[in-house]
Amino acid sequence: MPHPSDHLKLLIQSNAEEITRLHSRVHETFAQRDRSPDKRREWERACEIFHSRYNELAFPGGFEGALDRIVAGDPESMEAAICFLEVRPYFFRSGYMFESILRKTKRAPLSQEQVARLQYVIQALAAWRSKRAAPDGA
């Protein structure tokens, strides 16, 4: 039986893919922007779309204010935070977001299940970091 958070994890991943697509479009149009007024407008529009959608796509319920909602114990935001940490999506500024969400989630009022899931994320992160820091061949 699927876990209730599975839908949220799929949403986080699909939103990350959309951010990456929109960000790539900014870069594609940037390279052409000086060729004509139409190309400049195309680049400006790509930037506008990226910036207008980023907040809503970056975190369920919007990243703006999410850290405060997590610490305040908002149930939807706390579950979204755990899912975000579990999925660890990759997109523009997601590493920064991951670290911020992790710090705030450690201080949030979590359920026992969420605490266990958070501990798993923390252990996996520590293992990844120690492996990365190990000399070659270790």
Side-chain angles (χ1 to χ4, degrees):
M1 181 171 208
H3 191 275
S5 65
D6 288 346
H7 172 73
L8 201 47
K9 289 178 184 180
L10 289 173
L11 176 67
I12 289 167
Q13 190 56 49
S14 69
N15 284 355
E17 291 165 7
E18 181 66 0
I19 289 173
T20 299
R21 186 188 71 73
L22 294 172
H23 196 236
S24 292
R25 183 74 182 133
V26 169
H27 286 282
E28 290 163 13
T29 57
F30 176 81
Q32 306 289 318
R33 78 186 190 290
D34 291 332
R35 295 198 174 177
S36 74
D38 284 345
K39 293 291 184 188
R40 178 160 290 276
R41 280 191 293 277
E42 200 176 321
W43 168 68
E44 289 170 349
R45 182 70 181 135
C47 292
E48 182 184 312
I49 292 168
F50 174 79
H51 290 291
S52 72
R53 300 215 40 226
Y54 185 86
N55 180 60
E56 72 173 89
L57 293 170
F59 189 81
F63 187 62
E64 191 174 304
L67 301 176
D68 292 334
R69 293 191 311 269
I70 292 164
V71 172
D74 175 65
E76 291 83 17
S77 297
M78 291 177 352
E79 182 60 28
I82 298 290
C83 289
F84 186 97
L85 296 172
E86 289 172 328
V87 170
R88 191 161 190 166
Y90 182 77
F91 58 87
F92 179 70
R93 299 193 47 83
S94 64
Y96 161 78
M97 288 177 59
F98 180 91
E99 293 298 330
S100 299
I101 291 169
L102 179 60
R103 270 194 314 277
K104 296 298 184 179
T105 303
K106 287 178 181 178
R107 299 192 335 228
L110 303 172
S111 70
Q112 286 186 332
E113 182 209 16
Q114 289 172 329
V115 168
R117 290 165 57 203
L118 178 60
Q119 285 305 315
Y120 182 81
V121 167
I122 291 168
Q123 290 167 356
L125 181 60
W128 177 79
R129 285 180 173 160
S130 68
K131 184 179 176 184
R132 236 177 99 206
D136 289 343

